[in-house]
Amino acid sequence: MNRTLCFFSTVFLGALGGASALPAAEPALKPLTVAFSLDNPPYVMEQATKGVEADLLRAALPGREMKVLQLPYNGVQAAITDGKADVAVSVRQFADEADGVYFSDIFVYFQNTAATKKSVSGKIESIADLAAFPVFAWEDASRELGPEFEKQYAPDAPARARYREFGNQADQVRAFWAAPEAVAVIDKNILKYFSQKQGHEMDEVVFHDVFPAVTGFRVAFRDPTLRDTFNTGLKRILASGDYRKIMEKNGVALPRLPGE
């Protein structure tokens, strides 16, 4: 049927029935305010318009308009409870759903390691061995790498005197290269990205795998229904292979993940 004729037929039939048969327009979905960390390549890039986290979030929630809010990492962690955002990307599950924060399935996996330069002597085979070195980590790492690491670098622990956290991981990597004996506790891909940008060669680095192969981070939501929609989308892109394609496009290699 001709589109114009179809329209007038519908109006005519509705009039015969005493009411319009035209469907009500769907209400527009309001833009989501989404909290990301400050740029942290290859995960967050170009003011959170590119990178692993932005690409994955948009693939799992296609069609949703998003307003980006970039915060230091501990600000992202608290963005929902502070009322600053509808969605907070790549957080650990410290809060409880009773606090009005609804956590997704694991969203992104970081490959955290203890990195030294080849010139460093002394063994690093466990978290306990790190206490012999100056350790540079990211903001809140002392809470996120398990109970042994948290205990060793608690504010009142002796090892804390040689421990430093950085809100900006470009600064963390710069400090690592400037301190001959330092250990960088960091994701391998972040270390590689900033090292190369700063003119350093990765063949001078030794990785000490004292942490699990991957550490999972989640997305926090204010709305549990949106969280459920996101989880469905996340499962879809894992099963389709789109998740790994996004990782590879951004230069991140990962072992096989659950749901793939």
Side-chain angles (χ1 to χ4, degrees):
M1 179 182 289
N2 178 283
R3 184 182 298 272
T4 304
L5 180 58
C6 178
F7 170 77
F8 282 108
S9 296
T10 303
V11 173
F12 177 69
L13 290 171
L16 286 179
S20 174
L22 290 173
E26 288 289 332
L29 296 172
K30 75 177 184 70
L32 299 171
T33 299
V34 182
F36 288 90
S37 71
L38 304 177
D39 280 10
N40 195 26
Y43 296 95
V44 181
M45 303 174 68
E46 297 185 26
Q47 298 179 313
T49 60
K50 295 184 179 179
V52 168
E53 294 179 13
D55 291 350
L56 289 178
L57 186 70
R58 289 180 172 89
L61 286 175
R64 288 305 303 260
E65 185 180 349
M66 300 181 191
K67 296 166 61 176
V68 169
L69 172 66
Q70 286 192 279
L71 299 167
Y73 178 72
N74 57 6
V76 177
Q77 185 73 49
I80 303 296
T81 52
D82 288 350
K84 292 181 177 179
D86 303 304
V87 182
V89 180
S90 282
V91 297
R92 297 284 275 169
Q93 189 169 349
F94 294 137
D96 188 271
E97 291 194 350
D99 299 324
V101 185
Y102 300 90
F103 292 93
S104 73
D105 297 336
I106 292 176
F107 166 64
V108 70
Y109 296 82
F110 289 83
Q111 300 174 76
N112 293 315
T113 187
T116 62
K117 292 170 279 296
K118 284 183 177 177
S119 57
V120 171
S121 59
K123 69 173 185 175
I124 301 179
E125 297 176 350
S126 67
I127 289 172
D129 292 336
L130 296 175
F133 301 88
V135 172
F136 300 156
W138 72 88
E139 191 174 40
D140 266 0
S142 58
R143 300 175 66 203
E144 296 177 352
L145 287 169
E148 183 182 357
F149 191 83
E150 184 172 10
K151 181 178 180 182
Q152 182 159 305
Y153 292 107
D156 58 349
R160 185 79 182 201
R162 305 187 75 192
Y163 176 80
R164 183 179 173 191
E165 293 184 351
F166 291 77
N168 183 320
Q169 290 199 270
D171 292 340
Q172 179 192 0
V173 173
R174 193 173 292 111
F176 164 71
W177 284 106
E181 298 297 314
V183 177
V185 172
I186 193 168
D187 170 77
K188 291 179 181 179
N189 297 289
I190 294 173
L191 178 61
K192 177 181 176 182
Y193 180 90
F194 284 122
S195 293
Q196 291 177 341
K197 292 282 280 187
Q198 294 169 16
H200 300 287
E201 299 294 334
M202 288 303 293
D203 59 9
E204 293 299 313
V205 175
V206 177
F207 294 117
H208 308 272
D209 294 326
V210 299
F211 303 109
V214 292
T215 303
F217 285 70
R218 302 173 189 270
V219 178
F221 292 86
R222 185 189 304 278
D223 177 2
T225 301
L226 183 61
R227 184 272 314 272
D228 294 344
T229 300
F230 173 81
N231 278 344
T232 299
L234 186 59
K235 289 182 175 70
R236 172 178 50 76
I237 62 174
L238 275 164
S240 69
D242 288 344
Y243 186 102
R244 186 163 294 276
K245 288 176 184 176
I246 288 170
M247 287 288 181
E248 290 172 350
K249 181 187 80 171
N250 288 282
V252 177
L254 283 175
R256 190 159 189 84
L257 302 173
E260 283 193 302

